[in-house]
Short mmCIF file of all heavy atoms in Angstrom, two decimals:
data_model
loop_
_atom_site.label_atom_id
_atom_site.label_comp_id
_atom_site.label_asym_id
_atom_site.label_seq_id
_atom_site.Cartn_x
_atom_site.Cartn_y
_atom_site.Cartn_z
N MET P 1 94.35 137.61 117.50
CA MET P 1 93.79 138.70 116.89
C MET P 1 94.75 139.21 115.80
O MET P 1 95.96 139.21 116.01
CB MET P 1 93.57 139.87 117.89
CG MET P 1 93.01 141.10 117.27
SD MET P 1 92.42 142.27 118.37
CE MET P 1 90.88 141.53 118.83
N GLU P 2 94.20 139.40 114.61
CA GLU P 2 94.97 139.91 113.48
C GLU P 2 95.11 141.45 113.55
O GLU P 2 94.15 142.21 113.75
CB GLU P 2 94.22 139.62 112.16
CG GLU P 2 94.40 138.16 111.71
CD GLU P 2 95.79 137.85 111.32
OE1 GLU P 2 96.44 138.66 110.64
OE2 GLU P 2 96.35 136.73 111.65
N TYR P 3 96.32 141.96 113.43
CA TYR P 3 96.64 143.36 113.44
C TYR P 3 97.21 143.72 112.05
O TYR P 3 97.96 142.84 111.51
CB TYR P 3 97.59 143.72 114.44
CG TYR P 3 96.99 143.76 115.88
CD1 TYR P 3 97.11 142.59 116.76
CD2 TYR P 3 96.32 144.76 116.33
CE1 TYR P 3 96.52 142.59 117.94
CE2 TYR P 3 95.78 144.86 117.62
CZ TYR P 3 95.95 143.73 118.46
OH TYR P 3 95.36 143.66 119.63
N PRO P 4 96.89 144.89 111.46
CA PRO P 4 97.51 145.26 110.19
C PRO P 4 99.03 145.27 110.32
O PRO P 4 99.57 145.57 111.39
CB PRO P 4 96.89 146.56 109.88
CG PRO P 4 95.69 146.67 110.76
CD PRO P 4 95.98 145.83 111.96
N GLU P 5 99.72 145.10 109.19
CA GLU P 5 101.16 145.19 109.18
C GLU P 5 101.62 146.62 109.16
O GLU P 5 102.68 146.96 109.65
CB GLU P 5 101.69 144.58 107.88
CG GLU P 5 101.67 143.07 107.89
CD GLU P 5 102.54 142.36 108.97
OE1 GLU P 5 103.68 142.88 109.11
OE2 GLU P 5 102.08 141.50 109.65
N ARG P 6 100.75 147.61 108.75
CA ARG P 6 101.15 149.00 108.80
C ARG P 6 99.97 149.84 108.93
O ARG P 6 98.83 149.50 108.68
CB ARG P 6 101.90 149.41 107.51
CG ARG P 6 101.06 149.44 106.22
CD ARG P 6 101.83 149.74 105.00
NE ARG P 6 100.98 150.05 103.99
CZ ARG P 6 100.66 151.25 103.48
NH1 ARG P 6 101.30 152.24 103.96
NH2 ARG P 6 99.87 151.48 102.51
N TYR P 7 100.23 151.06 109.39
CA TYR P 7 99.20 152.13 109.52
C TYR P 7 99.82 153.41 108.99
O TYR P 7 101.02 153.54 108.96
CB TYR P 7 98.89 152.45 111.01
CG TYR P 7 97.88 151.42 111.67
CD1 TYR P 7 98.42 150.40 112.45
CD2 TYR P 7 96.60 151.54 111.41
CE1 TYR P 7 97.48 149.48 113.02
CE2 TYR P 7 95.72 150.59 112.05
CZ TYR P 7 96.17 149.61 112.85
OH TYR P 7 95.30 148.75 113.51
N GLU P 8 98.90 154.36 108.66
CA GLU P 8 99.32 155.70 108.32
C GLU P 8 98.83 156.63 109.48
O GLU P 8 97.65 156.58 109.78
CB GLU P 8 98.71 156.22 107.04
CG GLU P 8 99.25 155.55 105.85
CD GLU P 8 98.55 156.01 104.60
OE1 GLU P 8 97.50 156.68 104.67
OE2 GLU P 8 99.16 155.93 103.52
N LEU P 9 99.78 157.29 110.16
CA LEU P 9 99.40 158.23 111.20
C LEU P 9 99.33 159.64 110.62
O LEU P 9 100.33 160.07 109.85
CB LEU P 9 100.41 158.21 112.32
CG LEU P 9 100.68 156.84 112.97
CD1 LEU P 9 101.67 157.02 114.06
CD2 LEU P 9 99.40 156.23 113.45
N VAL P 10 98.26 160.33 110.70
CA VAL P 10 98.06 161.68 110.14
C VAL P 10 98.30 162.69 111.23
O VAL P 10 97.43 162.69 112.17
CB VAL P 10 96.72 161.85 109.44
CG1 VAL P 10 96.62 163.17 108.80
CG2 VAL P 10 96.64 160.76 108.37
N PHE P 11 99.23 163.56 111.11
CA PHE P 11 99.46 164.60 112.15
C PHE P 11 99.10 165.95 111.49
O PHE P 11 99.22 166.15 110.28
CB PHE P 11 100.98 164.72 112.54
CG PHE P 11 101.41 163.41 113.19
CD1 PHE P 11 101.88 162.34 112.50
CD2 PHE P 11 101.36 163.38 114.61
CE1 PHE P 11 102.35 161.23 113.16
CE2 PHE P 11 101.76 162.16 115.29
CZ PHE P 11 102.23 161.12 114.55
N GLU P 12 98.65 166.88 112.30
CA GLU P 12 98.22 168.18 111.88
C GLU P 12 99.45 169.11 111.66
O GLU P 12 100.32 169.05 112.52
CB GLU P 12 97.25 168.79 112.81
CG GLU P 12 96.65 170.07 112.31
CD GLU P 12 95.53 170.61 113.16
OE1 GLU P 12 95.13 169.92 114.07
OE2 GLU P 12 95.14 171.71 112.92
N GLU P 13 99.58 169.73 110.60
CA GLU P 13 100.65 170.71 110.33
C GLU P 13 100.03 172.11 110.70
O GLU P 13 99.24 172.63 109.98
CB GLU P 13 100.98 170.62 108.82
CG GLU P 13 102.10 171.56 108.49
CD GLU P 13 103.51 171.05 108.84
OE1 GLU P 13 103.63 169.76 109.02
OE2 GLU P 13 104.38 171.77 109.05
N PRO P 14 100.39 172.62 111.90
CA PRO P 14 99.74 173.86 112.37
C PRO P 14 99.83 175.06 111.35
O PRO P 14 98.92 175.78 111.17
CB PRO P 14 100.51 174.19 113.62
CG PRO P 14 101.20 172.98 114.04
CD PRO P 14 101.41 172.15 112.75
N ALA P 15 101.00 175.26 110.78
CA ALA P 15 101.23 176.43 109.84
C ALA P 15 100.37 176.28 108.56
O ALA P 15 99.80 177.30 108.16
CB ALA P 15 102.66 176.57 109.55
N ALA P 16 100.32 175.17 108.04
CA ALA P 16 99.65 174.94 106.75
C ALA P 16 98.22 174.46 106.84
O ALA P 16 97.51 174.41 105.91
CB ALA P 16 100.41 174.02 105.80
N ASN P 17 97.88 174.02 108.13
CA ASN P 17 96.52 173.37 108.40
C ASN P 17 96.31 172.22 107.43
O ASN P 17 95.12 172.01 106.91
CB ASN P 17 95.42 174.41 108.25
CG ASN P 17 94.19 174.09 108.98
OD1 ASN P 17 94.24 173.19 109.91
ND2 ASN P 17 93.15 174.67 108.75
N GLU P 18 97.32 171.41 107.23
CA GLU P 18 97.25 170.23 106.34
C GLU P 18 97.73 169.05 107.18
O GLU P 18 98.35 169.21 108.21
CB GLU P 18 98.08 170.41 105.13
CG GLU P 18 97.60 171.48 104.08
CD GLU P 18 98.52 171.65 102.94
OE1 GLU P 18 99.48 170.86 102.84
OE2 GLU P 18 98.24 172.49 102.12
N GLY P 19 97.61 167.93 106.72
CA GLY P 19 97.97 166.69 107.37
C GLY P 19 99.41 166.30 106.85
O GLY P 19 99.77 166.32 105.78
N ASP P 20 100.16 165.86 107.88
CA ASP P 20 101.51 165.30 107.58
C ASP P 20 101.40 163.82 107.95
O ASP P 20 101.02 163.43 109.05
CB ASP P 20 102.55 165.94 108.56
CG ASP P 20 103.92 165.42 108.31
OD1 ASP P 20 104.19 164.93 107.22
OD2 ASP P 20 104.81 165.60 109.25
N THR P 21 101.63 162.96 107.01
CA THR P 21 101.44 161.47 107.12
C THR P 21 102.74 160.75 107.32
O THR P 21 103.67 161.01 106.72
CB THR P 21 100.70 160.91 105.94
OG1 THR P 21 99.42 161.67 105.69
CG2 THR P 21 100.41 159.43 106.01
N VAL P 22 102.72 159.82 108.40
CA VAL P 22 103.88 158.94 108.66
C VAL P 22 103.38 157.55 108.62
O VAL P 22 102.40 157.23 109.22
CB VAL P 22 104.44 159.31 110.03
CG1 VAL P 22 105.65 158.34 110.33
CG2 VAL P 22 104.92 160.80 110.08
N VAL P 23 104.06 156.70 107.87
CA VAL P 23 103.70 155.25 107.71
C VAL P 23 104.58 154.57 108.81
O VAL P 23 105.69 154.69 108.93
CB VAL P 23 104.05 154.68 106.36
CG1 VAL P 23 103.83 153.23 106.31
CG2 VAL P 23 103.28 155.47 105.27
N VAL P 24 103.89 153.70 109.57
CA VAL P 24 104.44 152.95 110.65
C VAL P 24 104.20 151.46 110.35
O VAL P 24 103.13 151.13 109.90
CB VAL P 24 104.00 153.32 112.09
CG1 VAL P 24 104.55 154.76 112.39
CG2 VAL P 24 102.48 153.28 112.24
N HIS P 25 105.22 150.61 110.74
CA HIS P 25 105.12 149.20 110.48
C HIS P 25 105.11 148.46 111.85
O HIS P 25 105.79 148.88 112.77
CB HIS P 25 106.32 148.72 109.60
CG HIS P 25 106.36 149.44 108.30
ND1 HIS P 25 105.64 149.05 107.22
CD2 HIS P 25 107.05 150.55 107.91
CE1 HIS P 25 105.92 149.79 106.26
NE2 HIS P 25 106.78 150.78 106.62
N ARG P 26 104.45 147.30 111.90
CA ARG P 26 104.45 146.50 113.12
C ARG P 26 105.82 146.03 113.46
O ARG P 26 106.55 145.55 112.60
CB ARG P 26 103.43 145.44 112.97
CG ARG P 26 103.06 144.67 114.32
CD ARG P 26 101.93 143.74 114.20
NE ARG P 26 102.26 142.72 113.24
CZ ARG P 26 101.45 141.90 112.70
NH1 ARG P 26 100.15 142.03 112.94
NH2 ARG P 26 101.81 140.97 111.83
N THR P 27 106.24 146.01 114.73
CA THR P 27 107.59 145.68 115.07
C THR P 27 107.74 144.26 115.62
O THR P 27 108.79 143.74 115.69
CB THR P 27 108.14 146.66 116.15
OG1 THR P 27 107.33 146.49 117.37
CG2 THR P 27 108.13 148.01 115.68
N GLY P 28 106.66 143.68 116.09
CA GLY P 28 106.76 142.32 116.70
C GLY P 28 106.84 142.45 118.22
O GLY P 28 106.94 141.36 118.91
N THR P 29 106.80 143.65 118.74
CA THR P 29 106.78 143.86 120.23
C THR P 29 105.56 144.44 120.66
O THR P 29 104.73 144.89 119.81
CB THR P 29 107.97 144.73 120.71
OG1 THR P 29 107.74 146.02 120.12
CG2 THR P 29 109.26 144.26 120.32
N SER P 30 105.23 144.27 121.89
CA SER P 30 103.93 144.74 122.40
C SER P 30 104.23 145.90 123.42
O SER P 30 105.29 145.87 124.11
CB SER P 30 103.18 143.69 123.21
OG SER P 30 102.87 142.61 122.27
N GLY P 31 103.29 146.81 123.51
CA GLY P 31 103.38 147.91 124.49
C GLY P 31 102.74 147.56 125.81
O GLY P 31 102.48 146.42 126.05
N ALA P 32 102.76 148.57 126.68
CA ALA P 32 102.26 148.34 128.07
C ALA P 32 100.85 147.85 128.13
O ALA P 32 100.39 147.13 129.00
CB ALA P 32 102.40 149.68 128.87
N GLY P 33 100.05 148.25 127.06
CA GLY P 33 98.67 147.83 127.04
C GLY P 33 98.48 146.46 126.43
O GLY P 33 97.28 145.88 126.23
N GLY P 34 99.49 145.82 125.94
CA GLY P 34 99.36 144.48 125.31
C GLY P 34 99.18 144.53 123.86
O GLY P 34 99.09 143.47 123.13
N SER P 35 99.10 145.72 123.22
CA SER P 35 98.85 145.79 121.78
C SER P 35 100.20 146.00 121.06
O SER P 35 101.25 146.42 121.66
CB SER P 35 97.96 146.98 121.50
OG SER P 35 96.75 146.85 122.09
N PRO P 36 100.23 145.70 119.70
CA PRO P 36 101.49 145.85 118.98
C PRO P 36 102.01 147.22 118.92
O PRO P 36 101.32 148.19 118.95
CB PRO P 36 101.09 145.40 117.56
CG PRO P 36 99.81 144.66 117.76
CD PRO P 36 99.13 145.18 118.92
N VAL P 37 103.38 147.28 118.95
CA VAL P 37 104.07 148.49 118.80
C VAL P 37 104.42 148.64 117.28
O VAL P 37 104.90 147.75 116.68
CB VAL P 37 105.37 148.57 119.66
CG1 VAL P 37 106.18 149.82 119.31
CG2 VAL P 37 104.96 148.59 121.08
N TYR P 38 104.17 149.86 116.74
CA TYR P 38 104.44 150.19 115.36
C TYR P 38 105.54 151.37 115.33
O TYR P 38 105.52 152.21 116.20
CB TYR P 38 103.18 150.67 114.63
CG TYR P 38 102.13 149.57 114.43
CD1 TYR P 38 101.36 149.14 115.49
CD2 TYR P 38 102.04 149.00 113.11
CE1 TYR P 38 100.39 148.25 115.27
CE2 TYR P 38 101.16 147.98 112.92
CZ TYR P 38 100.29 147.65 114.01
OH TYR P 38 99.34 146.64 113.81
N GLU P 39 106.35 151.35 114.34
CA GLU P 39 107.33 152.42 114.24
C GLU P 39 107.60 152.67 112.81
O GLU P 39 107.43 151.83 111.88
CB GLU P 39 108.66 152.16 114.98
CG GLU P 39 109.47 151.02 114.43
CD GLU P 39 110.73 150.81 115.26
OE1 GLU P 39 110.80 151.12 116.49
OE2 GLU P 39 111.71 150.37 114.72
N ASP P 40 108.07 153.96 112.51
CA ASP P 40 108.44 154.33 111.14
C ASP P 40 109.80 153.81 110.76
O ASP P 40 110.45 153.14 111.57
CB ASP P 40 108.34 155.80 110.89
CG ASP P 40 109.49 156.58 111.59
OD1 ASP P 40 110.14 156.01 112.52
OD2 ASP P 40 109.73 157.73 111.23
N ASP P 41 110.24 153.93 109.52
CA ASP P 41 111.53 153.35 109.07
C ASP P 41 112.75 153.92 109.85
O ASP P 41 113.80 153.27 109.95
CB ASP P 41 111.71 153.66 107.57
CG ASP P 41 110.76 152.80 106.68
OD1 ASP P 41 110.31 151.73 107.25
OD2 ASP P 41 110.45 153.22 105.59
N THR P 42 112.64 155.07 110.39
CA THR P 42 113.75 155.75 111.18
C THR P 42 113.71 155.16 112.62
O THR P 42 114.78 155.35 113.27
CB THR P 42 113.62 157.18 111.19
OG1 THR P 42 112.49 157.63 111.95
CG2 THR P 42 113.58 157.80 109.74
N GLY P 43 112.63 154.66 113.08
CA GLY P 43 112.49 154.32 114.51
C GLY P 43 112.20 155.42 115.42
O GLY P 43 112.17 155.24 116.65
N ILE P 44 112.01 156.65 114.88
CA ILE P 44 111.76 157.78 115.73
C ILE P 44 110.31 157.82 116.13
O ILE P 44 109.97 158.15 117.32
CB ILE P 44 112.27 159.11 115.06
CG1 ILE P 44 113.65 159.06 114.88
CG2 ILE P 44 111.71 160.31 115.78
CD1 ILE P 44 114.22 160.19 113.99
N VAL P 45 109.41 157.63 115.15
CA VAL P 45 107.89 157.64 115.48
C VAL P 45 107.48 156.26 115.87
O VAL P 45 107.64 155.39 115.10
CB VAL P 45 107.16 158.14 114.24
CG1 VAL P 45 105.64 158.07 114.53
CG2 VAL P 45 107.58 159.47 113.78
N ARG P 46 107.06 156.12 117.13
CA ARG P 46 106.71 154.90 117.69
C ARG P 46 105.25 155.02 118.34
O ARG P 46 105.03 156.05 119.00
CB ARG P 46 107.69 154.37 118.71
CG ARG P 46 109.02 154.08 118.16
CD ARG P 46 110.04 153.67 119.24
NE ARG P 46 109.47 152.69 120.27
CZ ARG P 46 109.74 151.41 120.19
NH1 ARG P 46 110.40 150.87 119.23
NH2 ARG P 46 109.21 150.61 121.05
N ALA P 47 104.45 154.00 118.14
CA ALA P 47 103.17 154.09 118.70
C ALA P 47 102.59 152.59 118.96
O ALA P 47 102.92 151.75 118.21
CB ALA P 47 102.16 154.73 117.74
N GLU P 48 101.89 152.54 120.02
CA GLU P 48 101.14 151.33 120.34
C GLU P 48 99.68 151.55 119.84
O GLU P 48 99.07 152.55 120.19
CB GLU P 48 101.09 151.06 121.89
CG GLU P 48 100.31 149.76 122.24
CD GLU P 48 100.26 149.52 123.73
OE1 GLU P 48 100.81 150.37 124.52
OE2 GLU P 48 99.56 148.53 124.15
N ILE P 49 99.22 150.63 119.02
CA ILE P 49 97.88 150.78 118.43
C ILE P 49 97.09 149.57 118.69
O ILE P 49 97.48 148.45 118.39
CB ILE P 49 98.02 151.04 116.89
CG1 ILE P 49 98.98 152.20 116.58
CG2 ILE P 49 96.62 151.31 116.32
CD1 ILE P 49 99.25 152.46 115.06
N ASN P 50 95.91 149.71 119.32
CA ASN P 50 95.12 148.57 119.75
C ASN P 50 94.13 148.21 118.55
O ASN P 50 94.06 148.95 117.50
CB ASN P 50 94.39 148.82 121.01
CG ASN P 50 93.29 149.76 121.00
OD1 ASN P 50 92.77 150.22 119.94
ND2 ASN P 50 92.83 150.20 122.18
N ALA P 51 93.31 147.23 118.71
CA ALA P 51 92.38 146.73 117.70
C ALA P 51 91.33 147.68 117.41
O ALA P 51 90.78 147.72 116.27
CB ALA P 51 91.79 145.43 118.18
N ASP P 52 91.01 148.67 118.27
CA ASP P 52 90.03 149.72 118.03
C ASP P 52 90.57 150.90 117.30
O ASP P 52 89.91 151.91 117.10
CB ASP P 52 89.38 150.14 119.36
CG ASP P 52 88.53 148.94 119.94
OD1 ASP P 52 87.98 148.14 119.21
OD2 ASP P 52 88.50 148.95 121.25
N GLY P 53 91.89 150.91 116.99
CA GLY P 53 92.52 152.05 116.36
C GLY P 53 92.95 153.17 117.32
O GLY P 53 93.26 154.19 116.89
N GLU P 54 92.93 152.89 118.64
CA GLU P 54 93.36 153.85 119.60
C GLU P 54 94.89 153.81 119.70
O GLU P 54 95.52 152.80 119.69
CB GLU P 54 92.82 153.52 120.98
CG GLU P 54 91.27 153.61 121.05
CD GLU P 54 90.70 153.09 122.35
OE1 GLU P 54 91.33 152.13 122.96
OE2 GLU P 54 89.57 153.48 122.73
N ILE P 55 95.48 155.02 119.73
CA ILE P 55 96.89 155.21 119.63
C ILE P 55 97.44 155.68 120.97
O ILE P 55 96.98 156.63 121.53
CB ILE P 55 97.23 156.19 118.54
CG1 ILE P 55 96.59 155.81 117.22
CG2 ILE P 55 98.75 156.42 118.36
CD1 ILE P 55 96.56 156.93 116.22
N ARG P 56 98.64 155.08 121.37
CA ARG P 56 99.39 155.61 122.45
C ARG P 56 100.84 155.83 121.98
O ARG P 56 101.55 154.86 121.65
CB ARG P 56 99.45 154.66 123.67
CG ARG P 56 100.13 155.23 124.87
CD ARG P 56 100.08 154.30 126.01
NE ARG P 56 100.92 153.11 125.90
CZ ARG P 56 102.16 153.03 126.12
NH1 ARG P 56 102.85 154.04 126.59
NH2 ARG P 56 102.81 151.83 125.94
N MET P 57 101.14 157.13 121.73
CA MET P 57 102.54 157.44 121.25
C MET P 57 103.57 157.13 122.24
O MET P 57 103.29 157.21 123.45
CB MET P 57 102.58 158.96 120.78
CG MET P 57 101.61 159.39 119.80
SD MET P 57 101.79 158.42 118.22
CE MET P 57 103.36 158.95 117.67
N MET P 58 104.70 156.67 121.79
CA MET P 58 105.78 156.25 122.71
C MET P 58 107.06 157.05 122.37
O MET P 58 107.44 157.19 121.16
CB MET P 58 105.99 154.74 122.50
CG MET P 58 104.83 153.89 122.73
SD MET P 58 105.04 152.16 122.23
CE MET P 58 106.20 151.65 123.50
N ALA P 59 107.77 157.54 123.35
CA ALA P 59 109.04 158.23 123.07
C ALA P 59 110.07 157.23 122.61
O ALA P 59 110.17 156.14 123.10
CB ALA P 59 109.50 158.90 124.34
N SER P 60 110.86 157.65 121.70
CA SER P 60 111.97 156.81 121.23
C SER P 60 113.34 157.36 121.70
O SER P 60 114.36 156.82 121.39
CB SER P 60 111.88 156.77 119.64
OG SER P 60 112.05 157.98 119.11
N GLY P 61 113.30 158.52 122.33
CA GLY P 61 114.55 159.09 122.88
C GLY P 61 114.31 160.16 123.86
O GLY P 61 113.17 160.50 124.01
N GLY P 62 115.28 160.66 124.45
CA GLY P 62 115.22 161.74 125.51
C GLY P 62 114.81 163.03 124.87
O GLY P 62 115.12 163.33 123.75
N HIS P 63 114.06 163.80 125.63
CA HIS P 63 113.71 165.19 125.25
C HIS P 63 112.71 165.25 124.06
O HIS P 63 112.64 166.25 123.41
CB HIS P 63 114.92 166.12 124.98
CG HIS P 63 115.83 166.15 126.09
ND1 HIS P 63 115.55 166.77 127.28
CD2 HIS P 63 117.11 165.54 126.22
CE1 HIS P 63 116.58 166.70 128.10
NE2 HIS P 63 117.53 165.93 127.47
N GLN P 64 112.11 164.12 123.73
CA GLN P 64 111.20 164.10 122.55
C GLN P 64 109.80 164.62 123.07
O GLN P 64 109.37 164.18 124.08
CB GLN P 64 111.09 162.62 122.07
CG GLN P 64 110.26 162.49 120.78
CD GLN P 64 110.25 161.05 120.33
OE1 GLN P 64 110.60 160.16 121.04
NE2 GLN P 64 109.84 160.91 119.08
N VAL P 65 109.24 165.46 122.27
CA VAL P 65 107.90 165.96 122.52
C VAL P 65 106.88 165.19 121.63
O VAL P 65 107.04 165.21 120.42
CB VAL P 65 107.76 167.48 122.17
CG1 VAL P 65 106.43 167.99 122.41
CG2 VAL P 65 108.79 168.27 123.05
N LEU P 66 106.08 164.47 122.21
CA LEU P 66 105.14 163.53 121.50
C LEU P 66 103.96 164.26 120.94
O LEU P 66 103.31 165.04 121.68
CB LEU P 66 104.73 162.43 122.41
CG LEU P 66 105.77 161.52 122.95
CD1 LEU P 66 105.21 160.45 123.87
CD2 LEU P 66 106.55 160.90 121.87
N ALA P 67 103.64 164.18 119.63
CA ALA P 67 102.51 164.73 119.11
C ALA P 67 101.49 163.61 118.89
O ALA P 67 101.76 162.54 118.56
CB ALA P 67 102.84 165.43 117.82
N GLU P 68 100.20 163.95 119.20
CA GLU P 68 99.11 163.00 118.99
C GLU P 68 98.66 163.11 117.46
O GLU P 68 98.28 164.18 117.05
CB GLU P 68 98.01 163.19 119.88
CG GLU P 68 98.37 162.85 121.41
CD GLU P 68 98.56 161.34 121.55
OE1 GLU P 68 97.84 160.46 120.98
OE2 GLU P 68 99.44 161.06 122.32
N PRO P 69 98.51 162.00 116.82
CA PRO P 69 97.97 162.03 115.45
C PRO P 69 96.45 162.35 115.51
O PRO P 69 95.80 162.04 116.43
CB PRO P 69 98.20 160.63 114.87
CG PRO P 69 98.74 159.85 116.00
CD PRO P 69 98.95 160.65 117.15
N ARG P 70 96.04 163.10 114.50
CA ARG P 70 94.51 163.39 114.45
C ARG P 70 93.71 162.26 113.84
O ARG P 70 92.54 162.22 113.89
CB ARG P 70 94.30 164.73 113.81
CG ARG P 70 94.74 164.74 112.37
CD ARG P 70 94.48 166.09 111.70
NE ARG P 70 94.88 166.01 110.31
CZ ARG P 70 94.36 166.80 109.42
NH1 ARG P 70 93.43 167.68 109.67
NH2 ARG P 70 94.77 166.74 108.19
N ALA P 71 94.46 161.29 113.11
CA ALA P 71 93.71 160.20 112.48
C ALA P 71 94.72 159.06 112.28
O ALA P 71 95.88 159.25 112.22
CB ALA P 71 93.23 160.64 111.08
N VAL P 72 94.15 157.85 112.13
CA VAL P 72 94.93 156.58 111.83
C VAL P 72 94.25 155.92 110.76
O VAL P 72 92.99 155.74 110.79
CB VAL P 72 95.24 155.78 113.12
CG1 VAL P 72 93.95 155.27 113.73
CG2 VAL P 72 96.21 154.60 112.81
N ARG P 73 94.99 155.42 109.75
CA ARG P 73 94.42 154.63 108.66
C ARG P 73 95.25 153.34 108.51
O ARG P 73 96.52 153.37 108.45
CB ARG P 73 94.46 155.42 107.35
CG ARG P 73 93.67 156.75 107.41
CD ARG P 73 93.73 157.43 106.03
NE ARG P 73 95.02 157.95 105.71
CZ ARG P 73 95.24 159.20 105.35
NH1 ARG P 73 94.24 160.13 105.41
NH2 ARG P 73 96.43 159.60 105.02
N SER P 74 94.45 152.26 108.34
CA SER P 74 95.22 150.92 108.15
C SER P 74 95.49 150.70 106.64
O SER P 74 94.83 151.39 105.79
CB SER P 74 94.44 149.83 108.70
OG SER P 74 93.11 149.73 108.17
#
């Protein structure tokens, strides 16, 4: 199955009610569900994204509070 090389994850900015966008790139590893893991350039934002565009955010460090994106764009 072909997966995109990158996605844009759109998070809601509560104070401004606008979207905050993070670009993530495919890493070459798979998550627990068998779908590719994507991460941003810093390695902090990590997500497993399946072929249907469903996202499972993954912690990259201790004490991290995971936010769910409101949209994903390939």
